[in-house]
Amino acid sequence: MPTWPTITTGVAVTVAVASLLVLLWQRPKRDAEVIFAVVSGSMALSLMAPWMDGAPTWMRWAVAIGGSATCNGFWLVSRALFRGEGGVRRVHVLVAAGVALLIAAYRGATLGGQGTASPWAFGLGSLLTLASSTLLVLTFLEALRDGGASLPRAERRLRLAFMLVFAACVLTTTLMGALAATWPWLAEVRAGVIPLCAVAMILFTHGALWRRRHVPWPVTGAPPALRAPAGPPGAEEIRLLRALQHQLDVVQVYREPELKVIGLAHRLGTAEHKLSRLITQALGEKNFNQMINRHRIAYACGRLEDAGDDATILDISGDAGFASLGPFNRAFKIATGCTPTAYRAAHRARAGLEFS
């Protein structure tokens, strides 16, 4: 008769495989959904590892390698979930891949151990524990990023729920593992709780991804708050700030596709390096292009939110100042976490619900 851990593991494997199939079927895919598809498949294989006793060596190796994108992969999911498109870069993928190799090496070193651990496996295990613990902490901290009162209430609730579910799963399994040395019966209980925690995280993440797809990220066209200058601003700096604000808010100079920092500096009657310093030090922008793109995206969002505006995405991107549709789509996804088409559809659906 199947034991309780076997039943919960079977349920968790089924849920993980179903998660993978749903994510593979979905179109279009965003970064978080692609990464979570990998994590779902890896989680299914990792949960199947206890069933591999007596299986051929190649199958056990396949499970060991395929199940090595769990905590490291979920760290990437949390970055994509709370940072949007562009939140996962090559360096983050390389770090996660390095931990995956470490997991696969450790599992490979213990495949034929018959319950004994060699010094090599012991060293790998210690290093793996350190790396995994670090990534678990980083995953939790992702939800705290930009978590101030400026975020919408629904976004704050999502992040709080993520922290509670994630912390509950990690702490429960960790504490039960530590206490199993004192109370051996906890080992079997933990073996059944781990799959339940996996199911909880899979279902919660799908809910969070659904929200990201249907409720666009909040976008503000206002630049960051002015940084406190090192000393009292001079008359020239005040003049430049006012002139720049006029160009952005009234003239809407950002809507010119060929706008360059040197051209704007000439309009303001100042040197290029002085304008660049004003943008980075006084306005807190990373650079000129970031400032201009911020205003362009905010303008486009306003057009897309207008239910009476039937202009095409291409026309709106051109009116906002983008020279072509490709750069507009990429910049828009990084800023909002969704495509312009999805952003327009979500806002119109929300408006329809409000007036129904």
Side-chain angles (χ1 to χ4, degrees):
M1 182 176 181
T3 62
W4 178 63
T6 303
I7 295 173
T8 58
T9 299
V11 171
V13 170
T14 302
V15 171
V17 172
S19 170
L20 171 62
L21 295 176
V22 168
L23 291 165
L24 290 177
W25 172 79
Q26 191 163 275
R27 298 288 189 278
K29 294 182 180 65
R30 295 171 299 170
D31 289 351
E33 292 158 345
V34 173
I35 299 169
F36 192 51
V38 175
V39 173
S40 296
S42 182
M43 197 174 293
L45 291 173
S46 180
L47 290 166
M48 291 169 59
W51 299 346
M52 291 296 105
D53 292 341
T57 302
W58 68 266
M59 186 179 295
R60 294 158 67 193
W61 268 105
V63 171
I65 295 172
S68 60
T70 50
C71 63
N72 47 340
F74 200 73
W75 169 58
L76 299 181
V77 173
S78 68
R79 288 189 64 91
L81 188 61
F82 297 116
R83 294 176 184 249
E85 297 295 311
V88 177
R89 300 180 181 177
R90 183 177 301 175
V91 63
H92 306 121
V93 175
L94 290 176
V95 170
V99 176
L101 289 175
L102 189 60
I103 294 173
Y106 173 73
R107 291 178 176 172
T110 57
L111 278 180
Q114 302 298 327
T116 61
S118 65
W120 169 247
F122 181 80
L124 282 175
S126 300
L127 185 58
L128 179 58
T129 299
L130 176 61
S132 300
S133 300
T134 301
L135 290 184
L136 289 174
V137 172
L138 291 176
T139 301
F140 181 84
L141 293 178
E142 280 299 324
L144 294 175
R145 183 179 180 273
D146 298 332
S150 60
L151 289 174
R153 181 179 300 176
E155 179 68 18
R156 295 200 302 270
R157 287 200 299 263
L158 172 66
R159 294 179 180 227
L160 177 60
F162 173 86
M163 290 188 292
L164 290 175
V165 174
F166 184 75
C169 291
V170 172
L171 291 177
T172 298
T173 55
T174 302
L175 289 176
M176 293 180 73
L179 294 174
T182 305
W183 295 296
W185 58 270
L186 274 178
E188 183 176 358
V189 176
R190 181 175 182 266
V193 169
I194 289 176
L196 294 180
C197 289
V199 170
M201 289 308 305
I202 290 173
L203 296 180
F204 179 87
T205 305
H206 270 283
L209 292 175
W210 181 90
R211 184 184 183 280
R212 279 285 181 262
R213 179 173 286 273
H214 292 85
V215 181
W217 286 58
V219 178
T220 174
L226 297 183
R227 295 180 179 176
E236 175 64 10
E237 186 178 28
I238 293 175
R239 182 194 72 80
L240 280 178
L241 280 172
R242 290 175 177 172
L244 176 58
Q245 208 64 47
H246 177 80
Q247 288 289 326
L248 293 171
D249 296 343
V250 179
V251 180
Q252 295 184 330
V253 67
Y254 54 83
R255 295 176 61 188
E256 300 176 15
E258 302 301 323
L259 182 66
K260 305 293 183 185
V261 63
I262 188 171
L264 183 56
H266 288 163
R267 298 187 194 189
L268 298 177
T270 188
E272 179 181 349
H273 73 276
K274 289 184 178 180
L275 176 58
S276 296
R277 186 172 60 215
L278 182 79
I279 291 171
T280 57
Q281 295 183 2
L283 295 182
E285 299 280 3
K286 183 178 179 181
N287 51 46
F288 170 80
N289 289 333
Q290 183 188 67
M291 179 190 72
I292 295 301
N293 274 354
R294 185 190 300 278
H295 284 80
R296 287 172 174 170
I297 295 298
Y299 172 86
C301 286
R303 294 282 302 274
L304 293 170
E305 292 168 12
D306 185 359
D309 192 336
D310 294 325
T312 65
I313 302 297
L314 178 61
D315 288 340
I316 291 176
S317 70
D319 289 343
F322 288 91
S324 61
L325 190 58
F328 170 63
N329 283 333
R330 288 192 293 271
F332 196 94
K333 287 188 70 174
I334 290 173
T336 66
C338 66
T339 64
T341 301
Y343 189 93
R344 168 182 268 175
H347 275 275
R348 293 191 176 182
R350 186 185 305 171
L353 290 175
E354 290 175 354
F355 290 99
S356 61

